[in-house]
Amino acid sequence: MIRPRSLPFLVLLAALVALGGLAVDMYLPALPTIGAEYAAGPDRVQLTMSVYLLGSAAGQIVIGPLSDRFGRRPVPIGGFVLSPPPWQRSPPPRCWPSASPPSTAAAHRRPEPPIDPS
């Protein structure tokens, strides 16, 4: 168990705080690809970032009092119990690199029509 006043605890806490910013930094460069994949305009794709930030804030507002009331351990366990199992979740979009390996990525693309020289 990590003691609260130890260096590993401080490193863990710093990593957890940095996770939100890291998620935003990884998501922003993918916005054009997401828009192209789902045929959505820039305004709709940017709305997903706003929804992420609002959901993150709402989660903290809800989970904070729940963990005060029931303790830190039961709240995440309850979240794992209430979340759907992996086989019932929606599949990842094709724009995720793990969904289509580089060896098969070219097979999903439509070939470009030849350019008429005349």
Side-chain angles (χ1 to χ4, degrees), residues 31-99:
L31 288 178
T33 306
I34 293 169
E37 183 71 25
Y38 292 110
D43 55 336
R44 302 286 297 229
V45 177
Q46 290 172 3
L47 184 63
T48 62
M49 179 59 68
S50 300
V51 170
Y52 164 74
L53 293 173
L54 286 173
S56 178
Q60 291 181 8
I61 290 171
V62 170
I63 290 176
L66 284 176
S67 65
D68 288 344
R69 169 72 174 94
F70 299 110
R72 287 180 283 173
R73 184 177 170 94
V75 173
I77 291 173
F80 289 133
V81 168
L82 293 177
S83 67
W87 58 87
Q88 290 183 349
R89 295 182 190 141
S90 60
R94 289 183 308 177
C95 62
W96 287 7
S98 62

Side-chain angles (χ1 to χ4, degrees), residues 15-40:
L16 289 175
V17 169
L19 246 149
L22 183 65
V24 171
D25 288 343
M26 289 189 310
Y27 189 69
L28 285 177
L31 288 178
T33 306
I34 293 169
E37 183 71 25
Y38 292 110

